[in-house]
Amino acid sequence: MRLSRYYLPVLKESPSEAQIVSHKLMLRAGMIRQEGAGIYAWLPLGLRVLKKIERIVREEQDRAGAVELLMPTIQQADLWRESGRYDAYGKEMLRIVDRSDRDMLFGPTNEEMITEIFRAGVRSYKDLPKILYHIQWKFRDEIRPRFGVMRGREFLMKDSYSFDVDGEAARRSYHKMFVAYLRTFARMGLTSIPMRADTGPIGGDLSHEFIVLAETGESAVFCDRRLLDLTTPDADIDFDGDLSPIIDRYTSYYAATEEKHDDAEFSGKTPEADRVAARGIEVGHIFYFGEKYSEPMKALVAGPDGAERPVHMGSYGVGVSRLAGALIEAHHDEAGCKWPVSVAPFHVGLVNLKPGDAAADAACAEAYAKLGAEGVEVLYDETAVRPGEKFARMDLIGLPFQLIVGPRGLADGKVEIKARSDGAREELPLDAALQSILGRVRAGLAV
Ligand code: ATP
Ligand code: MG
Protein backbone atom coordinates (compact mmCIF):
# COMPACT_ATOMS: atom_id res chain seq x y z
CA MET A 1 0.00 0.00 0.00
CA ARG A 2 1.25 3.43 -0.94
CA LEU A 3 0.86 5.87 1.90
CA SER A 4 -0.11 8.71 -0.43
CA ARG A 5 -3.20 6.70 -1.44
CA TYR A 6 -3.99 5.38 2.01
CA TYR A 7 -6.16 6.99 4.67
CA LEU A 8 -4.01 7.52 7.75
CA PRO A 9 -5.14 10.60 9.68
CA VAL A 10 -2.46 10.69 12.43
CA LEU A 11 -2.59 13.27 15.22
CA LYS A 12 0.51 15.02 16.54
CA GLU A 13 -1.03 15.96 19.87
CA SER A 14 -2.38 13.58 22.44
CA PRO A 15 -6.19 13.86 22.51
CA SER A 16 -7.32 15.17 25.88
CA GLU A 17 -10.33 12.85 26.20
CA ALA A 18 -8.12 9.74 26.33
CA GLN A 19 -6.95 8.60 29.76
CA ILE A 20 -4.97 5.47 28.95
CA VAL A 21 -2.14 4.92 26.53
CA SER A 22 -3.92 2.49 24.20
CA HIS A 23 -6.83 4.86 23.71
CA LYS A 24 -4.45 7.76 23.06
CA LEU A 25 -2.36 5.80 20.59
CA MET A 26 -5.34 4.36 18.73
CA LEU A 27 -6.66 7.89 18.18
CA ARG A 28 -3.24 9.35 17.37
CA ALA A 29 -2.29 6.56 14.97
CA GLY A 30 -5.52 7.01 13.03
CA MET A 31 -6.89 3.58 13.94
CA ILE A 32 -10.30 4.58 15.28
CA ARG A 33 -12.60 7.55 15.45
CA GLN A 34 -15.25 8.10 18.10
CA GLU A 35 -18.76 8.40 16.66
CA GLY A 36 -20.69 8.41 19.94
CA ALA A 37 -20.16 7.41 23.58
CA GLY A 38 -18.52 3.98 23.43
CA ILE A 39 -19.10 3.77 19.67
CA TYR A 40 -16.17 3.81 17.24
CA ALA A 41 -15.51 3.74 13.54
CA TRP A 42 -12.58 1.50 12.68
CA LEU A 43 -10.37 3.43 10.28
CA PRO A 44 -8.29 1.49 7.73
CA LEU A 45 -5.24 0.91 9.95
CA GLY A 46 -7.33 -0.12 12.96
CA LEU A 47 -9.47 -2.40 10.83
CA ARG A 48 -6.40 -4.29 9.64
CA VAL A 49 -5.46 -5.01 13.25
CA LEU A 50 -9.01 -6.03 14.11
CA LYS A 51 -9.07 -8.45 11.17
CA LYS A 52 -5.74 -10.00 12.21
CA ILE A 53 -7.00 -10.53 15.75
CA GLU A 54 -10.23 -12.01 14.41
CA ARG A 55 -8.34 -14.36 12.16
CA ILE A 56 -6.18 -15.78 14.94
CA VAL A 57 -9.25 -16.22 17.14
CA ARG A 58 -11.02 -18.03 14.30
CA GLU A 59 -8.08 -20.28 13.45
CA GLU A 60 -7.74 -21.43 17.05
CA GLN A 61 -11.48 -22.02 17.43
CA ASP A 62 -11.46 -24.12 14.28
CA ARG A 63 -8.37 -26.00 15.44
CA ALA A 64 -10.17 -26.91 18.67
CA GLY A 65 -13.12 -28.28 16.69
CA ALA A 66 -15.57 -25.41 17.10
CA VAL A 67 -17.83 -24.67 14.12
CA GLU A 68 -18.49 -21.14 12.88
CA LEU A 69 -21.92 -19.72 12.08
CA LEU A 70 -23.26 -16.17 12.12
CA MET A 71 -26.21 -15.01 14.17
CA PRO A 72 -27.85 -11.62 13.58
CA THR A 73 -27.23 -8.54 15.73
CA ILE A 74 -30.97 -7.89 16.10
CA GLN A 75 -33.01 -10.34 18.13
CA GLN A 76 -36.65 -10.76 19.09
CA ALA A 77 -37.63 -10.01 22.67
CA ASP A 78 -39.85 -13.12 22.73
CA LEU A 79 -36.80 -15.36 22.65
CA TRP A 80 -35.49 -13.66 25.78
CA ARG A 81 -38.89 -13.96 27.44
CA GLU A 82 -38.47 -17.75 27.16
CA SER A 83 -35.35 -17.72 29.32
CA GLY A 84 -36.67 -15.04 31.64
CA ARG A 85 -33.80 -12.71 30.84
CA TYR A 86 -35.76 -10.05 28.94
CA ASP A 87 -36.82 -8.31 32.11
CA ALA A 88 -33.80 -9.40 34.16
CA TYR A 89 -31.16 -7.96 31.81
CA GLY A 90 -31.91 -4.35 32.71
CA LYS A 91 -30.62 -1.16 31.21
CA GLU A 92 -27.54 -2.63 29.53
CA MET A 93 -29.87 -4.00 26.85
CA LEU A 94 -30.66 -1.70 23.93
CA ARG A 95 -34.36 -2.23 23.28
CA ILE A 96 -35.91 -1.43 19.92
CA VAL A 97 -39.48 -1.43 18.60
CA ASP A 98 -40.09 -2.27 14.94
CA ARG A 99 -42.86 -0.82 12.71
CA SER A 100 -45.28 -3.57 13.78
CA ASP A 101 -44.74 -2.67 17.42
CA ARG A 102 -42.77 -5.84 18.02
CA ASP A 103 -40.18 -5.67 20.80
CA MET A 104 -36.69 -6.23 19.42
CA LEU A 105 -33.22 -5.75 20.85
CA PHE A 106 -29.62 -5.36 19.75
CA GLY A 107 -27.99 -8.52 21.09
CA PRO A 108 -25.70 -8.10 24.11
CA THR A 109 -24.94 -11.86 23.92
CA ASN A 110 -26.43 -14.95 22.25
CA GLU A 111 -27.21 -17.75 24.70
CA GLU A 112 -30.93 -17.67 23.94
CA MET A 113 -30.53 -17.58 20.18
CA ILE A 114 -27.97 -20.38 20.02
CA THR A 115 -30.16 -22.51 22.29
CA GLU A 116 -33.06 -21.95 19.89
CA ILE A 117 -30.87 -22.88 16.90
CA PHE A 118 -29.57 -25.97 18.65
CA ARG A 119 -32.96 -27.29 19.76
CA ALA A 120 -34.27 -27.03 16.20
CA GLY A 121 -31.53 -29.30 14.87
CA VAL A 122 -30.32 -31.75 17.52
CA ARG A 123 -32.33 -34.45 19.29
CA SER A 124 -29.86 -37.13 20.33
CA TYR A 125 -26.67 -37.53 22.31
CA LYS A 126 -25.25 -39.14 19.15
CA ASP A 127 -24.94 -35.67 17.62
CA LEU A 128 -22.88 -34.43 20.56
CA PRO A 129 -20.54 -32.88 21.50
CA LYS A 130 -20.95 -29.67 19.51
CA ILE A 131 -19.27 -26.32 19.89
CA LEU A 132 -20.72 -23.50 17.78
CA TYR A 133 -19.36 -19.97 17.60
CA HIS A 134 -19.67 -16.67 15.85
CA ILE A 135 -17.79 -13.39 15.71
CA GLN A 136 -20.34 -10.61 15.83
CA TRP A 137 -20.94 -7.07 17.06
CA LYS A 138 -22.65 -6.74 20.40
CA PHE A 139 -24.27 -3.75 22.04
CA ARG A 140 -24.31 -3.22 25.79
CA ASP A 141 -25.41 0.12 27.12
CA GLU A 142 -22.57 0.22 29.66
CA ILE A 143 -22.99 2.77 32.45
CA ARG A 144 -19.44 3.99 31.96
CA PRO A 145 -18.08 3.38 28.48
CA ARG A 146 -14.41 4.35 28.68
CA PHE A 147 -10.84 3.68 27.67
CA GLY A 148 -11.74 3.65 23.99
CA VAL A 149 -12.42 0.18 22.60
CA MET A 150 -11.62 -1.45 25.95
CA ARG A 151 -15.06 -0.75 27.33
CA GLY A 152 -17.20 0.24 24.42
CA ARG A 153 -20.94 0.06 24.03
CA GLU A 154 -20.72 -1.47 20.56
CA PHE A 155 -17.93 -4.06 20.48
CA LEU A 156 -16.85 -7.15 18.58
CA MET A 157 -16.94 -10.44 20.45
CA LYS A 158 -16.23 -14.03 19.62
CA ASP A 159 -18.73 -16.12 21.50
CA SER A 160 -18.80 -19.91 21.47
CA TYR A 161 -21.36 -22.24 22.98
CA SER A 162 -20.81 -25.89 23.85
CA PHE A 163 -23.47 -28.61 23.98
CA ASP A 164 -22.91 -31.89 25.79
CA VAL A 165 -24.89 -34.82 27.09
CA ASP A 166 -23.75 -34.47 30.70
CA GLY A 167 -21.47 -32.55 33.04
CA GLU A 168 -18.46 -34.78 32.45
CA ALA A 169 -18.62 -34.33 28.68
CA ALA A 170 -19.16 -30.60 29.21
CA ARG A 171 -15.90 -30.49 31.15
CA ARG A 172 -14.07 -31.85 28.08
CA SER A 173 -15.56 -29.10 25.91
CA TYR A 174 -14.54 -26.57 28.53
CA HIS A 175 -10.99 -27.90 28.45
CA LYS A 176 -10.85 -27.53 24.67
CA MET A 177 -11.79 -23.87 24.89
CA PHE A 178 -9.38 -23.34 27.79
CA VAL A 179 -6.47 -24.63 25.69
CA ALA A 180 -7.70 -22.79 22.57
CA TYR A 181 -7.63 -19.55 24.56
CA LEU A 182 -4.07 -20.13 25.78
CA ARG A 183 -2.98 -20.57 22.18
CA THR A 184 -5.05 -17.66 20.86
CA PHE A 185 -3.57 -15.04 23.16
CA ALA A 186 -0.03 -16.41 22.95
CA ARG A 187 -0.11 -16.15 19.16
CA MET A 188 -0.85 -12.45 19.53
CA GLY A 189 2.18 -11.96 21.74
CA LEU A 190 0.10 -11.67 24.91
CA THR A 191 0.74 -13.37 28.23
CA SER A 192 -2.75 -14.20 29.43
CA ILE A 193 -3.40 -15.81 32.77
CA PRO A 194 -6.45 -18.00 33.36
CA MET A 195 -7.92 -16.90 36.68
CA ARG A 196 -10.65 -18.49 38.73
CA ALA A 197 -13.77 -16.43 38.31
CA ASP A 198 -17.30 -16.37 39.67
CA THR A 199 -19.38 -19.35 38.60
CA GLY A 200 -22.76 -17.95 39.59
CA PRO A 201 -25.51 -20.27 40.83
CA ILE A 202 -24.02 -23.48 39.45
CA GLY A 203 -20.81 -23.40 41.45
CA GLY A 204 -17.94 -25.76 40.70
CA ASP A 205 -14.60 -24.85 39.21
CA LEU A 206 -15.56 -24.25 35.61
CA SER A 207 -15.28 -20.51 35.14
CA HIS A 208 -12.09 -18.69 34.22
CA GLU A 209 -11.32 -15.19 33.11
CA PHE A 210 -8.27 -14.80 30.88
CA ILE A 211 -6.41 -11.76 32.12
CA VAL A 212 -3.59 -9.75 30.56
CA LEU A 213 -1.58 -7.92 33.22
CA ALA A 214 -1.51 -4.14 32.68
CA GLU A 215 -1.36 -1.20 35.07
CA THR A 216 -4.41 0.32 33.46
CA GLY A 217 -6.51 -2.84 33.76
CA GLU A 218 -9.94 -2.53 35.33
CA SER A 219 -9.62 -5.67 37.51
CA ALA A 220 -7.47 -6.20 40.58
CA VAL A 221 -5.90 -9.65 40.33
CA PHE A 222 -3.66 -11.95 42.37
CA CYS A 223 -1.48 -14.66 40.92
CA ASP A 224 1.65 -16.77 41.10
CA ARG A 225 4.57 -15.33 39.13
CA ARG A 226 5.51 -18.82 37.89
CA LEU A 227 2.36 -18.84 35.75
CA LEU A 228 4.01 -16.25 33.54
CA ASP A 229 6.71 -18.76 32.54
CA LEU A 230 4.50 -21.69 31.55
CA THR A 231 4.86 -22.70 27.93
CA THR A 232 1.95 -22.58 25.53
CA PRO A 233 0.52 -25.85 24.17
CA ASP A 234 1.76 -26.68 20.66
CA ALA A 235 -0.24 -26.28 17.49
CA ASP A 236 -0.28 -30.04 16.84
CA ILE A 237 -1.99 -30.80 20.12
CA ASP A 238 -4.73 -33.47 19.98
CA PHE A 239 -7.90 -31.65 20.99
CA ASP A 240 -9.79 -34.94 21.16
CA GLY A 241 -7.27 -36.40 23.57
CA ASP A 242 -7.02 -35.85 27.31
CA LEU A 243 -6.31 -32.16 27.90
CA SER A 244 -6.47 -32.33 31.69
CA PRO A 245 -2.66 -32.50 32.20
CA ILE A 246 -2.39 -29.10 30.48
CA ILE A 247 -5.29 -27.67 32.47
CA ASP A 248 -3.83 -29.03 35.72
CA ARG A 249 -0.46 -27.44 34.99
CA TYR A 250 -2.11 -24.02 34.72
CA THR A 251 -4.62 -24.32 37.45
CA SER A 252 -2.24 -25.77 40.05
CA TYR A 253 -0.90 -22.25 40.66
CA TYR A 254 -2.90 -19.62 42.46
CA ALA A 255 -4.60 -17.06 40.22
CA ALA A 256 -7.83 -15.27 41.05
CA THR A 257 -9.65 -12.04 40.38
CA GLU A 258 -10.55 -9.79 43.29
CA GLU A 259 -14.06 -11.26 43.58
CA LYS A 260 -12.68 -14.77 44.12
CA HIS A 261 -9.51 -13.82 45.98
CA ASP A 262 -8.68 -15.58 49.26
CA ASP A 263 -5.60 -14.13 50.90
CA ALA A 264 -4.98 -17.07 53.24
CA GLU A 265 -5.06 -19.53 50.34
CA PHE A 266 -2.81 -17.27 48.25
CA SER A 267 -0.17 -17.08 51.01
CA GLY A 268 -0.45 -20.79 51.75
CA LYS A 269 0.08 -21.83 48.14
CA THR A 270 2.53 -19.22 46.89
CA PRO A 271 6.01 -18.35 48.20
CA GLU A 272 6.21 -14.67 49.04
CA ALA A 273 8.67 -13.90 46.23
CA ASP A 274 6.22 -15.30 43.66
CA ARG A 275 3.12 -13.46 44.87
CA VAL A 276 1.91 -10.94 42.32
CA ALA A 277 -0.81 -8.42 43.15
CA ALA A 278 -1.50 -6.49 39.98
CA ARG A 279 -4.12 -5.11 37.67
CA GLY A 280 -5.38 -6.82 34.58
CA ILE A 281 -7.54 -6.63 31.47
CA GLU A 282 -10.13 -9.35 30.94
CA VAL A 283 -9.71 -10.49 27.33
CA GLY A 284 -11.71 -13.70 27.60
CA HIS A 285 -14.17 -15.48 29.83
CA ILE A 286 -15.14 -19.15 29.76
CA PHE A 287 -18.05 -20.50 31.67
CA TYR A 288 -19.98 -23.73 32.22
CA PHE A 289 -23.60 -23.09 33.15
CA GLY A 290 -25.20 -26.50 32.65
CA GLU A 291 -28.95 -26.45 32.11
CA LYS A 292 -29.55 -22.78 32.86
CA TYR A 293 -30.99 -22.05 29.38
CA SER A 294 -31.67 -25.53 28.02
CA GLU A 295 -34.13 -26.29 30.80
CA PRO A 296 -36.47 -23.29 30.49
CA MET A 297 -36.06 -23.26 26.70
CA LYS A 298 -36.54 -27.01 26.38
CA ALA A 299 -33.39 -27.84 24.45
CA LEU A 300 -33.59 -31.57 25.11
CA VAL A 301 -31.49 -34.48 23.87
CA ALA A 302 -32.16 -38.18 24.21
CA GLY A 303 -29.43 -39.96 26.16
CA PRO A 304 -28.20 -43.55 25.57
CA ASP A 305 -31.14 -44.78 27.71
CA GLY A 306 -33.61 -43.04 25.41
CA ALA A 307 -34.72 -40.55 28.07
CA GLU A 308 -34.73 -36.87 27.14
CA ARG A 309 -32.84 -34.37 29.25
CA PRO A 310 -31.78 -30.72 28.96
CA VAL A 311 -28.45 -30.39 27.16
CA HIS A 312 -25.44 -29.18 29.17
CA MET A 313 -24.07 -25.88 27.94
CA GLY A 314 -21.12 -23.58 28.39
CA SER A 315 -20.25 -20.24 26.83
CA TYR A 316 -16.88 -18.83 25.91
CA GLY A 317 -16.25 -15.18 25.04
CA VAL A 318 -13.28 -13.31 23.62
CA GLY A 319 -13.22 -9.51 23.46
CA VAL A 320 -11.98 -9.18 19.89
CA SER A 321 -12.14 -5.37 19.71
CA ARG A 322 -10.96 -5.01 23.33
CA LEU A 323 -7.86 -6.99 22.35
CA ALA A 324 -6.73 -4.21 20.00
CA GLY A 325 -6.46 -1.94 23.03
CA ALA A 326 -5.00 -4.65 25.28
CA LEU A 327 -2.30 -5.36 22.71
CA ILE A 328 -1.20 -1.74 22.71
CA GLU A 329 -1.19 -1.63 26.51
CA ALA A 330 1.20 -4.60 26.35
CA HIS A 331 3.34 -3.37 23.43
CA HIS A 332 4.22 0.33 23.20
CA ASP A 333 6.77 2.96 24.17
CA GLU A 334 6.81 6.79 24.33
CA ALA A 335 6.98 7.01 20.54
CA GLY A 336 4.00 4.80 19.80
CA CYS A 337 2.74 1.27 19.16
CA LYS A 338 5.05 -1.73 18.81
CA TRP A 339 2.99 -4.40 17.04
CA PRO A 340 3.96 -8.06 17.19
CA VAL A 341 4.22 -9.40 13.62
CA SER A 342 1.13 -11.62 13.94
CA VAL A 343 -1.27 -8.70 14.55
CA ALA A 344 0.58 -5.81 12.91
CA PRO A 345 -1.48 -3.75 10.44
CA PHE A 346 1.42 -4.09 7.96
CA HIS A 347 4.68 -5.97 8.49
CA VAL A 348 7.03 -3.38 7.03
CA GLY A 349 7.13 0.39 6.72
CA LEU A 350 9.17 1.23 3.65
CA VAL A 351 10.54 4.76 4.05
CA ASN A 352 11.75 6.58 0.96
CA LEU A 353 13.87 9.43 2.32
CA LYS A 354 13.97 11.28 -0.99
CA PRO A 355 11.06 10.59 -3.33
CA GLY A 356 11.99 11.82 -6.80
CA ASP A 357 15.59 10.65 -6.46
CA ALA A 358 16.01 8.06 -9.21
CA ALA A 359 18.14 5.63 -7.18
CA ALA A 360 15.93 5.84 -4.08
CA ASP A 361 12.75 5.42 -6.12
CA ALA A 362 14.17 2.41 -7.98
CA ALA A 363 15.39 0.67 -4.82
CA CYS A 364 12.04 1.27 -3.09
CA ALA A 365 10.11 -0.03 -6.10
CA GLU A 366 12.24 -3.17 -6.09
CA ALA A 367 11.81 -3.70 -2.32
CA TYR A 368 8.06 -3.11 -2.54
CA ALA A 369 7.63 -5.58 -5.39
CA LYS A 370 9.87 -8.30 -3.99
CA LEU A 371 8.45 -8.20 -0.46
CA GLY A 372 4.92 -8.07 -1.79
CA ALA A 373 5.56 -11.11 -3.98
CA GLU A 374 6.54 -13.05 -0.83
CA GLY A 375 3.34 -12.10 0.98
CA VAL A 376 4.99 -9.48 3.18
CA GLU A 377 2.62 -6.56 3.80
CA VAL A 378 4.34 -3.26 3.07
CA LEU A 379 3.19 0.29 3.75
CA TYR A 380 5.30 2.42 1.41
CA ASP A 381 5.87 6.00 2.54
CA GLU A 382 6.63 7.85 -0.69
CA THR A 383 5.08 11.09 0.52
CA ALA A 384 6.86 14.41 0.26
CA VAL A 385 7.19 15.16 3.97
CA ARG A 386 10.56 15.61 5.70
CA PRO A 387 12.37 12.53 7.05
CA GLY A 388 11.88 13.46 10.73
CA GLU A 389 8.13 13.47 10.27
CA LYS A 390 8.24 10.15 8.41
CA PHE A 391 10.20 8.50 11.20
CA ALA A 392 7.87 9.84 13.89
CA ARG A 393 4.82 8.62 11.96
CA MET A 394 6.31 5.16 11.42
CA ASP A 395 7.23 4.87 15.08
CA LEU A 396 3.73 5.98 16.06
CA ILE A 397 1.92 3.38 13.96
CA GLY A 398 4.46 0.84 15.14
CA LEU A 399 4.98 -1.57 12.21
CA PRO A 400 7.47 -4.28 13.29
CA PHE A 401 10.14 -3.35 10.70
CA GLN A 402 11.15 -0.16 8.96
CA LEU A 403 13.16 -0.37 5.78
CA ILE A 404 14.80 3.01 5.28
CA VAL A 405 16.09 3.91 1.84
CA GLY A 406 17.90 7.11 0.86
CA PRO A 407 20.39 8.34 -1.73
CA ARG A 408 23.26 8.62 0.75
CA GLY A 409 23.03 4.99 1.90
CA LEU A 410 22.48 3.74 -1.63
CA ALA A 411 25.69 5.48 -2.77
CA ASP A 412 27.38 3.11 -0.29
CA GLY A 413 25.27 0.19 -1.54
CA LYS A 414 23.28 0.08 1.71
CA VAL A 415 19.76 0.42 3.09
CA GLU A 416 18.80 0.40 6.75
CA ILE A 417 16.50 -1.88 8.75
CA LYS A 418 15.07 -0.72 12.05
CA ALA A 419 13.25 -3.21 14.26
CA ARG A 420 10.49 -1.38 16.12
CA SER A 421 10.46 -3.84 19.05
CA ASP A 422 13.93 -2.95 20.37
CA GLY A 423 15.05 -0.13 18.06
CA ALA A 424 17.98 -2.20 16.72
CA ARG A 425 19.37 -0.88 13.42
CA GLU A 426 21.37 -2.62 10.69
CA GLU A 427 22.82 -1.38 7.41
CA LEU A 428 22.82 -3.95 4.63
CA PRO A 429 22.80 -4.25 0.85
CA LEU A 430 19.20 -4.22 -0.43
CA ASP A 431 18.96 -7.94 -1.24
CA ALA A 432 20.35 -8.97 2.14
CA ALA A 433 17.96 -6.58 3.86
CA LEU A 434 14.99 -8.09 2.03
CA GLN A 435 16.10 -11.61 2.97
CA SER A 436 16.54 -10.57 6.59
CA ILE A 437 13.08 -9.00 6.77
CA LEU A 438 11.47 -11.96 5.04
CA GLY A 439 13.02 -14.37 7.53
CA ARG A 440 11.98 -12.31 10.52
CA VAL A 441 8.42 -11.80 9.29
CA ARG A 442 8.07 -15.53 8.67
CA ALA A 443 9.43 -16.32 12.13
CA GLY A 444 6.99 -13.83 13.65
CA LEU A 445 4.06 -15.44 11.86
CA ALA A 446 5.08 -18.99 12.79
CA VAL A 447 4.28 -18.68 16.49
P1 ATP B 1 -16.67 -7.16 31.95
O1 ATP B 1 -16.57 -7.73 33.34
O2 ATP B 1 -15.36 -6.59 31.44
O3 ATP B 1 -17.83 -6.24 31.77
P2 ATP B 1 -18.24 -9.34 31.00
O4 ATP B 1 -18.13 -10.31 32.12
O5 ATP B 1 -19.45 -8.51 30.88
O6 ATP B 1 -16.93 -8.39 31.00
P3 ATP B 1 -18.57 -11.35 28.96
O7 ATP B 1 -20.03 -11.18 28.90
O8 ATP B 1 -18.00 -12.59 29.51
O9 ATP B 1 -17.91 -10.08 29.66
O10 ATP B 1 -17.98 -11.08 27.49
C1 ATP B 1 -16.87 -11.76 26.94
C2 ATP B 1 -15.72 -10.82 26.64
O11 ATP B 1 -16.15 -9.68 25.89
C3 ATP B 1 -15.07 -10.23 27.88
O12 ATP B 1 -14.11 -11.12 28.41
C4 ATP B 1 -14.42 -8.96 27.32
O13 ATP B 1 -13.15 -9.27 26.78
C5 ATP B 1 -15.35 -8.56 26.21
N1 ATP B 1 -16.22 -7.43 26.62
C6 ATP B 1 -17.23 -7.45 27.51
N2 ATP B 1 -17.79 -6.23 27.64
C7 ATP B 1 -17.11 -5.41 26.79
C8 ATP B 1 -17.21 -4.03 26.45
N3 ATP B 1 -18.13 -3.25 27.01
N4 ATP B 1 -16.32 -3.52 25.53
C9 ATP B 1 -15.41 -4.30 24.95
N5 ATP B 1 -15.27 -5.62 25.23
C10 ATP B 1 -16.10 -6.17 26.14
MG1 MG C 1 -19.88 -6.52 31.40
Side-chain angles (χ1 to χ4, degrees), residues 89 92 108-109 140 142 148-158 209-210 218-219 281-286 316-323:
Y89 211 92
E92 266 195 26
T109 180
R140 293 183 185 173
E142 301 271 359
V149 300
M150 292 275 220
R151 183 163 297 282
R153 292 200 297 165
E154 191 183 48
F155 60 96
L156 188 60
M157 193 201 285
K158 185 288 298 174
E209 288 179 8
F210 285 74
E218 287 188 294
S219 323
I281 302 166
E282 180 194 323
V283 289
H285 190 178
I286 62 177
Y316 313 87
V318 169
V320 175
S321 50
R322 177 179 285 183
L323 274 164

Side-chain angles (χ1 to χ4, degrees), residues 180 349 417-418 437-438:
I417 302 176
K418 175 180 163 185
I437 285 181
L438 186 56

Side-chain angles (χ1 to χ4, degrees), residues 82-384:
E82 283 189 48
S83 72
R85 275 211 296 182
Y86 187 63
D87 294 324
Y89 211 92
K91 292 202 153 198
E92 266 195 26
M93 179 184 278
L94 180 64
R95 295 158 204 262
I96 306 165
V97 179
D98 76 5
R99 65 204 294 163
S100 321
D101 270 338
R102 230 185 320 256
D103 291 327
M104 314 286 283
L105 57 104
F106 196 117
T109 180
N110 285 69
E111 280 82 4
E112 283 78 0
M113 191 176 282
I114 199 76
T115 304
E116 187 279 325
I117 289 171
F118 176 87
R119 80 182 170 197
V122 178
R123 294 274 184 293
S124 161
Y125 77 98
K126 290 179 193 152
D127 295 323
L128 301 181
K130 283 269 174 296
I131 304 177
L132 303 174
Y133 76 98
H134 74 162
I135 301 175
Q136 178 63 292
W137 294 92
K138 307 286 188 283
F139 194 96
R140 293 183 185 173
D141 203 349
E142 301 271 359
I143 288 191
R144 274 215 295 166
R146 57 182 185 155
F147 300 158
V149 300
M150 292 275 220
R151 183 163 297 282
R153 292 200 297 165
E154 191 183 48
F155 60 96
L156 188 60
M157 193 201 285
K158 185 288 298 174
D159 38 325
S160 316
Y161 303 90
S162 62
F163 301 89
D164 285 282
V165 68
D166 56 26
E168 198 190 315
R171 177 178 291 271
R172 284 195 289 275
S173 292
Y174 186 91
H175 285 181
K176 287 183 190 176
M177 288 295 110
F178 189 110
V179 172
Y181 277 33
L182 292 174
R183 286 195 44 78
T184 300
F185 302 126
R187 279 185 62 191
M188 295 175 196
L190 286 176
T191 305
S192 76
I193 307 173
M195 301 206 177
R196 266 198 332 237
D198 258 335
T199 45
I202 295 180
D205 57 352
L206 293 186
S207 174
H208 287 86
E209 288 179 8
F210 285 74
I211 303 275
V212 172
L213 298 185
E215 280 166 30
T216 49
E218 287 188 294
S219 323
V221 298
F222 302 85
C223 69
D224 193 315
R225 192 179 303 283
R226 289 170 291 185
L227 270 168
L228 302 170
D229 300 328
L230 292 185
T231 49
T232 311
D234 285 336
D236 60 3
I237 187 166
D238 174 14
F239 273 94
D240 291 319
D242 182 10
L243 298 174
S244 45
I246 299 173
I247 310 293
D248 292 347
R249 182 148 34 95
Y250 280 86
T251 55
S252 63
Y253 294 105
Y254 187 92
T257 59
E258 198 169 29
E259 298 79 49
K260 293 288 281 183
H261 180 57
D262 176 336
D263 219 39
E265 193 192 335
F266 189 31
S267 312
K269 246 179 141 177
T270 318
E272 193 165 0
D274 289 323
R275 279 177 227 156
V276 179
R279 301 199 67 81
I281 302 166
E282 180 194 323
V283 289
H285 190 178
I286 62 177
F287 198 19
Y288 165 66
F289 49 74
E291 305 167 342
K292 183 173 173 194
Y293 300 94
S294 54
E295 211 217 287
M297 294 185 67
K298 308 221 166 19
L300 309 177
V301 286
D305 57 0
E308 290 196 323
R309 65 202 73 191
V311 71
H312 283 248
M313 292 174 60
S315 78
Y316 313 87
V318 169
V320 175
S321 50
R322 177 179 285 183
L323 274 164
L327 278 159
I328 297 180
E329 293 294 327
H331 302 285
H332 70 271
D333 62 16
E334 332 54 71
C337 308
K338 291 169 37 167
W339 293 108
V341 172
S342 61
V343 286
F346 295 90
H347 303 132
V348 178
L350 174 60
V351 180
N352 187 338
L353 292 175
K354 201 165 182 204
D357 175 88
D361 288 354
C364 285
E366 185 182 341
Y368 189 69
K370 285 189 170 165
L371 289 172
E374 298 289 345
V376 175
E377 299 164 3
V378 182
L379 182 63
Y380 175 22
D381 185 351
E382 23 64 298
T383 63

